[in-house]
Amino acid sequence: MLRWLLAASLLFVPTLAHAESAVVLVPEAAVGGDALERARSAVIETLAERGVRLVRAPDGEPCERARCAAELAERTGADFVVLVLVEAREDGGSRVRASVVRASGTPRDASADVSDAGFGAAASAALEAALAGENDRRLGFLMVRTDPPRARVEIDGEPAGESPLRRMVAPGEHRVRVLPERGEPRERTVTVRPVEETALELDLRAAEDDEPAPGATPARTEPSPLNWLIGGGLAIGGVVALISPLQTLATDGQCVDLIEDVGCVERVQFGAVSGVLLGVGLAALIAAVVVDVVAPIRVEVGVSVDARGEGSAMLELGGTF
């Protein structure tokens, strides 16, 4: 006995202006229940990527034919019914046949053999083929990828989900707004062509204003000549300050005033003044080395171009001490 395998509840997906609704029917077949569940899940995922809303089917007699599927579409108000059938092949394998049935019009069927990829892949391929030509002549696909992912995406002012996402949209221009977890929202206008897939990729880690204007030279920083001037001055001052205390150290204890019959009344002594000069000299030499090696004083040089195409130079002096 056949029964319908339907979603337990409505599948909520972002609804755009062109979104449709569908009922999914997967009758029982001579395969395992896991295979049918994989086929059903793949069909629902494919519909969700297209922005199609899933509608619960009312209780009733199961069906596996286009006629009752068309009646079901009319009763539920769904735009179409997807009838997924698992059939046996002559060679002992299986195939999945998908039928897109509307309340009026000719059903569109497509089938795909079950390969190593499994029932889910076959069901998705069959449904894609059945939908091809159904309305793809007037619709296209929009793929939005972001780095990092999971950024909220709005299409034409309507929430569409998180990146990465793929949506079926009408041909023409669409306004895509991406809202990252951190940073300012990004907005782009994308032109989608019928049937084709248009990809929009955004690097949310890079600021939009990081790129220089056309014709502009990126600003660069380099050590300022002031580092060498200041370092040289400190080195000279340090050497001058060290001359006296070093001489005092070299002659410490020598007699500078000798009186006959009395002896030496004055000797060279390394006192407080010599110690201060020695410290100042050493500090000046160390500071000179630091300034010359670290070069804390830097200049930023760049050329910018205004809206009239006229260039202007920029020179900025900065540093850390």
Side-chain angles (χ1 to χ4, degrees):
M1 180 179 180
L2 301 176
R3 66 182 179 87
W4 296 342
L5 295 177
L6 305 173
S9 60
L10 293 180
L11 178 66
F12 294 99
V13 297
T15 304
L16 306 180
H18 64 274
E20 294 184 307
S21 58
V23 176
V24 178
L25 302 180
V26 186
E28 286 185 347
V31 295
D34 292 342
L36 295 180
E37 180 61 26
R38 287 194 294 271
R40 182 185 69 87
S41 299
V43 168
I44 291 176
E45 183 177 353
T46 301
L47 293 175
E49 289 180 353
R50 291 170 171 259
V52 178
R53 180 172 55 89
L54 193 67
V55 176
R56 183 199 300 271
D59 295 334
E61 291 297 325
C63 77
E64 57 179 353
R65 299 186 180 276
R67 182 175 179 178
C68 62
E71 294 175 354
L72 180 61
E74 185 175 4
R75 288 204 314 269
T76 60
D79 292 287
F80 59 90
V81 172
V82 179
L83 185 60
V84 183
L85 300 173
V86 178
E87 303 171 335
R89 300 199 315 258
E90 294 182 357
D91 59 1
S94 300
R95 73 166 59 92
V96 177
R97 179 163 59 90
S99 298
V100 177
V101 184
R102 295 183 180 269
S104 60
T106 303
R108 294 186 179 272
D109 296 345
S111 61
D113 292 336
V114 178
S115 61
D116 294 339
F119 284 87
S124 179
L127 177 58
E128 290 280 8
L131 290 174
E134 228 273 328
N135 56 8
D136 285 358
R137 290 189 179 92
R138 60 183 177 87
L139 298 180
F141 293 93
L142 176 60
M143 182 72 188
V144 181
R145 301 186 184 92
T146 62
D147 185 14
R150 301 189 62 81
R152 290 187 295 121
V153 179
E154 295 179 357
I155 302 178
D156 297 328
E158 295 290 338
E162 294 184 343
S163 62
L165 62 82
R166 182 175 183 262
R167 289 290 181 268
M168 178 185 289
V169 296
E173 290 189 351
H174 294 272
R175 181 170 52 87
V176 180
R177 192 165 185 258
V178 178
L179 297 90
E181 294 183 358
R182 298 180 180 178
E184 296 296 326
R186 310 291 178 84
E187 190 168 310
R188 297 289 188 273
T189 299
V190 181
T191 300
V192 178
R193 298 182 181 276
V195 184
E196 298 179 5
E197 178 174 286
T198 302
L200 174 62
E201 298 185 1
L202 293 175
D203 185 357
L204 303 180
R205 298 173 300 180
E208 292 181 347
D209 296 332
D210 285 347
E211 297 182 0
T217 301
R220 68 179 189 275
T221 60
E222 56 186 32
S224 170
L226 291 177
N227 293 297
W228 301 103
L229 294 177
I230 296 175
L234 289 172
I236 294 174
V239 171
V240 172
L242 288 174
I243 292 175
S244 177
L246 290 178
Q247 288 181 342
T248 302
L249 283 174
T251 59
D252 188 31
Q254 292 184 3
C255 181
V256 296
D257 189 2
L258 180 62
I259 301 176
E260 295 183 4
D261 300 332
V262 175
C264 184
V265 297
E266 185 178 355
R267 295 181 179 275
V268 177
Q269 293 183 350
F270 188 86
V273 175
S274 298
V276 171
L277 290 175
L278 180 62
V280 170
L282 292 175
L285 289 179
I286 294 174
V289 173
V290 171
V291 170
D292 289 337
V293 174
V294 178
I297 304 176
R298 308 182 71 84
V299 291
E300 183 174 353
V301 182
V303 177
S304 60
V305 179
D306 57 22
R308 297 173 298 179
E310 298 179 356
S312 61
M314 174 189 66
L315 176 62
E316 183 177 345
L317 180 65
T320 304
F321 297 91

